[in-house]
Amino acid sequence: MKLESKAILQIQKPIEDVFEGIVNPEKMTKYFISESSGRLETGKDVTWKFPEFNTRFSIKEVKTEKPSFISFVWDPETIVKITLEKLPDNSTIVRVNENGKDFNENNLKWALENTGGWANFLACMKAYLEYGVQLRQGAFDFMRKK
């Protein structure tokens, strides 16, 4: 059995705006990461840095299908898939699924933590794209190594 983390949220913005909010590092640095080496584009690897960690994360095997799908690997055991669905009112449902880890105690902890992490990603993205609010700013300063 493989474990997965999942999160879903509706964002009151057109699908094209939400897609751009995920693939464009200028937008992502307002709600998720602090640095990126480039846009998420098919076949292009990028590096992300989060404000609360000194470590940089390699984002590999990027695939995008504008305006409805993004996937990448940042953990060799898993793949992240982000699916966007346009609704009749011109809002967008965003589904995040990360899966691939075998079932064991450590990986169960991973699944629970990442599910919360992806829910946070979606909430922060919604606040930024809809209202320009940067919810993540200062939210995880307590995690920084001193």
Side-chain angles (χ1 to χ4, degrees):
M1 175 168 90
K2 300 290 184 183
L3 291 172
E4 65 182 330
S5 63
K6 295 191 285 187
I8 184 171
L9 193 68
Q10 184 172 338
I11 297 180
Q12 306 300 315
K13 288 290 180 181
I15 193 169
E16 295 82 7
D17 293 354
V18 178
F19 182 87
E20 186 65 15
I22 297 169
V23 300
N24 183 336
E26 290 180 27
K27 295 185 184 281
M28 281 191 81
T29 56
K30 303 291 192 273
Y31 71 88
F32 187 51
I33 56 177
S34 60
E35 296 175 27
S36 175
S37 63
R39 286 178 66 88
L40 291 177
E41 297 174 336
T42 298
K44 183 176 176 185
D45 294 345
V46 298
T47 302
W48 284 348
K49 183 177 183 311
F50 291 85
E52 62 273 15
F53 303 113
N54 290 325
T55 307
R56 297 189 186 282
F57 296 85
S58 294
I59 311 303
K60 299 178 183 282
E61 299 179 37
V62 176
K63 294 179 186 156
T64 61
E65 296 172 19
K66 189 175 184 177
S68 60
F69 182 76
I70 301 146
S71 71
F72 58 86
V73 172
W74 65 354
D75 170 345
E77 294 179 63
T78 68
I79 185 165
V80 175
K81 295 179 182 175
I82 302 172
T83 306
L84 309 176
E85 177 186 343
K86 180 180 180 176
L87 296 179
D89 67 355
N90 213 24
S91 65
T92 305
I93 292 178
V94 184
R95 290 179 176 85
V96 180
N97 177 290
E98 183 174 9
N99 66 43
K101 287 191 183 281
D102 291 327
F103 180 82
N104 63 45
E105 191 172 323
N106 285 339
N107 289 345
L108 184 57
K109 181 181 175 192
W110 164 88
L112 294 171
E113 288 176 355
N114 275 29
T115 296
W118 287 118
N120 180 269
F121 163 81
L122 291 173
C124 290
M125 180 171 56
K126 179 179 180 70
Y128 175 69
L129 293 179
E130 289 183 13
Y131 305 104
V133 174
Q134 296 183 25
L135 285 181
R136 192 174 174 95
Q137 188 172 6
F140 297 102
D141 287 355
F142 69 94
M143 295 175 70
R144 287 188 180 151
K145 295 193 177 179
K146 307 225 177 206

